[in-house]
Amino acid sequence: MSKQLFSGSIGRKFAMALSALFLIIFLLQHFTINFTSVLSEETFNELSHFMGTNPIIQFVMQPILMFGVAFHFIMGFILEIKNRNSRAIKYAKNNGAANSSWMSRNMIWSGLFILFFLGFHFYDFWIPEMNYKYIEMKPEDPNRYYDEVVHMFASPGRVIVYCLSFVFLALHLMHGFQSAFQSMGARHDKYTPAIQKIGRAYAILIPVGFIFIAVFHYVNSL
Amino acid sequence: MSATEGLNLTLKVWRQKNDKEQGKMETYQVSDISPDSSFLEMMDILNEQLIAEDNEPVAFDHDCREGICGSCSMYINGEAHGPGREITTCQLHMREFKDGETIFIEPWRAKAFPVIKDLVVDRSAFDRVMNAGGFISVNTSGNTQDANAIPIDKHDADKAFDAATCIGCGACVASCKNASAMLFVSAKVSQLSLLPQGKVEAKERVQNMVKQMDEEGFGNCSNTGACEVECPKGISLENIARMNREYLKSGIS
């Protein structure tokens, strides 16, 4: 039975929703740590040092995160291909705006933009970080993180790419957050309005918060 | 009688000889259409005009013409059953359109609903989904219990009845960007599984109906909500969530 559970259309959407909720939780954690860079250099360095050197974070949580990210994207592509195949001939005239939101109809495009951003973020941050720690094996300096972030956001081009990406992230989350609950069957007259409100708040506050961090460090660098 | 003048319209209609040949959009002009006529009456006028010109009339499904049979199935100006909410095409009136307007008329588009001719599509995929589990097995030996003898929670009865108003027209599939049949299948799953007589086979039912739905080639649900908006009977997305719950529960129990 379990084979059919995850190969069927509902099973695939359930898996998609589970990975989405995992990424939503990760994003909140990522934001919380990044936001401390605005409040206190010392706290940000302490937290970053912990995240960057703790073996459980590095060798257990990080691979799980990688798997979650890859799974969400690959499953997204599989679903998109299957969905496109379900309608071989397109409508000559289709008025999608009459019955659904732009965000809900364009999850693949907002998702692809986020994938592009992740590629950039990996190239820009993760690969140099791995290189620093595990290839060049430089000695750990617990106070390097804050200076690195400040240096990163001194570049206006990078700040623009980051800000634009967070706009797409907001659009993706605006539909994705509540959609994940619906896919898992979590819908109730009492709780669904609250889930939708929390989803909208999350979709706006987290990306706006990330944009604020980037702009804050840029402005400080001027 | 309406004092409003008749409408002159340009119609772009999908014409396709049969399920083998490729179709294309053809342009027709109709004039002096009463704003009080229904959309299907306008199509009748077009067909009379085509027959008078010795041309093949446009094939389209229709039956009761009062919004309960689910036969009429046109995608009008980019929406299932055209503009207007909780109506079928036969309940759509020409007063919704402006004089001089161009109206696009297309069949339901889905791999699972192949075009038979012009605007007529084969919706037997829905029948096969129903055959897979859209029923209850009732003992007809003569000892059948009176259904009214079983107390049913009013809320559940109301929800089952709301789900049962689905007329199986396929507007949900036509409107969904993924041509997903989740609203239809979930309405049928819900109307049975909410009631005591249907609970007995609930697990097998949801598994079999979803399996058949997937085999027919319908897409996945992206929760856009387009189906709910375009459904002539206002079937709620709540049914899809219920079906998801039942399906996931059936997979682990």
Side-chain angles (χ1 to χ4, degrees):
Chain A
M1 188 57 242
S2 58
K3 193 172 169 237
Q4 195 202 323
L5 179 68
F6 287 106
S7 62
S9 58
I10 296 178
R12 280 193 293 266
K13 289 297 298 183
F14 176 70
M16 193 68 182
L18 263 190
S19 59
L21 289 179
F22 169 69
L23 295 177
I24 284 170
I25 293 166
F26 160 72
L27 204 61
L28 185 64
Q29 171 261 319
H30 194 337
F31 171 75
T32 309
I33 293 178
N34 282 25
F35 194 70
T36 60
S37 71
V38 171
L39 305 173
S40 150
E41 178 180 342
E42 200 179 305
T43 313
F44 179 73
N45 274 335
E46 247 175 64
L47 289 171
S48 301
H49 172 69
F50 170 78
M51 296 300 283
T53 53
N54 184 291
I56 292 173
I57 301 286
Q58 285 294 301
F59 303 114
V60 180
M61 297 309 280
Q62 192 162 257
I64 292 174
L65 173 66
M66 298 282 186
F67 176 77
V69 171
F71 182 87
H72 195 69
F73 277 110
I74 292 166
M75 190 57 104
F77 288 129
I78 291 172
L79 287 168
E80 181 67 19
I81 291 164
K82 281 189 180 291
N83 291 342
R84 279 177 186 255
N85 287 340
S86 300
R87 176 169 292 133
I89 303 173
K90 306 280 171 232
Y91 288 110
K93 184 173 181 180
N94 189 34
N95 186 8
N99 50 40
S100 51
S101 70
W102 186 92
M103 285 84 81
S104 70
R105 295 193 308 275
N106 292 284
M107 291 296 275
I108 186 69
W109 297 113
S110 52
L112 276 172
F113 200 96
I114 295 164
L115 180 62
F116 156 78
F117 168 74
L118 272 185
F120 175 69
H121 191 47
F122 261 54
Y123 171 78
D124 198 37
F125 168 79
W126 194 77
I127 292 174
E129 181 67 14
M130 291 298 111
N131 188 38
Y132 182 102
K133 278 192 295 211
Y134 303 119
I135 296 168
E136 291 180 16
M137 308 281 266
K138 286 188 190 168
E140 170 65 359
D141 171 10
N143 298 318
R144 70 187 166 98
Y145 299 97
Y146 182 81
D147 295 335
E148 280 175 6
V149 165
V150 168
H151 175 72
M152 283 262 196
F153 290 124
S155 146
R158 186 182 278 112
V159 171
I160 289 168
V161 171
Y162 272 61
C163 291
L164 198 60
S165 304
F166 289 124
V167 171
F168 279 93
L169 179 67
L171 294 171
H172 199 74
L173 285 167
M174 198 67 94
H175 173 70
F177 192 103
Q178 54 90 21
S179 177
F181 285 87
Q182 168 81 5
S183 288
M184 297 200 299
R187 186 183 171 110
H188 192 281
D189 291 347
K190 259 187 208 162
Y191 311 118
T192 297
I195 290 170
Q196 287 171 341
K197 272 185 202 144
I198 293 167
R200 275 195 292 272
Y202 185 97
I204 294 168
L205 292 176
I206 298 291
V208 165
F210 272 117
I211 290 172
F212 173 77
I213 296 166
V215 172
F216 175 86
H217 289 301
Y218 173 69
V219 171
N220 268 358
S221 75
L222 294 176
Chain B
M1 285 291 286
S2 166
T4 321
E5 281 181 29
L7 303 166
N8 299 313
L9 303 161
T10 301
L11 307 176
K12 291 195 176 288
V13 186
W14 181 260
R15 301 305 308 264
Q16 185 172 335
K17 272 197 178 134
N18 52 48
D19 58 348
K20 306 278 182 306
E21 288 180 44
Q22 281 197 334
K24 61 174 180 171
M25 299 297 282
E26 294 277 5
T27 307
Y28 302 104
Q29 304 289 336
V30 285
S31 53
D32 205 25
I33 299 291
S34 164
D36 291 335
S37 61
S38 77
F39 199 86
L40 294 189
E41 285 164 348
M42 187 276 292
M43 291 302 290
D44 293 336
I45 293 167
L46 168 69
N47 276 346
E48 281 173 19
Q49 192 177 304
L50 288 171
I51 292 165
E53 293 164 356
D54 216 15
N55 287 322
E56 182 81 9
V58 179
F60 63 91
D61 272 323
H62 61 105
D63 191 8
C64 75
R65 298 210 178 198
E66 54 187 5
I68 55 171
C69 76
S71 294
C72 49
S73 59
M74 296 172 201
Y75 208 72
I76 302 159
N77 272 354
E79 281 186 82
H81 300 133
R85 294 291 164 252
E86 299 197 12
I87 55 164
T88 51
T89 303
C90 60
Q91 295 169 301
L92 174 67
H93 286 84
M94 296 313 294
R95 66 182 81 97
E96 301 292 333
F97 300 91
K98 291 189 201 77
D99 187 37
E101 194 172 339
T102 298
I103 306 174
F104 282 73
I105 308 165
E106 298 174 76
W108 285 172
R109 293 283 185 211
K111 197 175 121 193
F113 286 168
V115 172
I116 298 171
K117 186 176 180 176
D118 296 336
L119 303 172
V120 180
V121 297
D122 179 0
R123 283 173 276 185
S124 59
F126 273 8
D127 297 336
R128 289 187 291 275
V129 171
M130 289 304 281
N131 289 346
F135 50 81
I136 55 164
S137 304
V138 178
N139 182 356
T140 53
S141 62
N143 301 322
T144 316
Q145 189 183 6
D146 179 2
N148 290 322
I150 309 167
I152 298 170
D153 184 286
K154 176 76 167 76
H155 295 100
D156 288 344
D158 284 350
K159 282 180 177 173
F161 192 83
D162 284 348
T165 58
C166 166
I167 52 177
C169 64
C172 46
V173 175
S175 307
C176 175
K177 75 178 187 69
N178 309 329
S180 168
M182 292 280 280
L183 195 67
F184 166 78
V185 181
S186 69
K188 299 303 175 189
V189 163
S190 291
Q191 81 177 54
L192 297 170
S193 68
L194 278 163
L195 301 177
Q197 294 90 337
K199 281 199 164 70
V200 185
E201 295 158 305
K203 186 178 161 182
E204 290 77 21
R205 177 182 305 115
V206 71
Q207 286 172 6
N208 293 340
M209 289 180 83
V210 169
K211 188 165 174 266
Q212 189 63 38
M213 173 183 85
D214 289 348
E215 281 174 14
E216 295 293 342
F218 293 108
N220 302 279
C221 176
S222 289
N223 305 317
T224 67
C227 53
E228 182 185 52
V229 174
E230 298 292 349
C231 175
K233 298 298 161 188
I235 302 291
S236 166
L237 289 183
E238 185 189 343
N239 292 298
I240 297 184
R242 183 178 298 107
M243 179 166 78
N244 290 346
R245 264 198 312 276
E246 289 214 3
Y247 182 82
L248 295 167
K249 206 167 64 183
S250 77
I252 52 170
S253 64

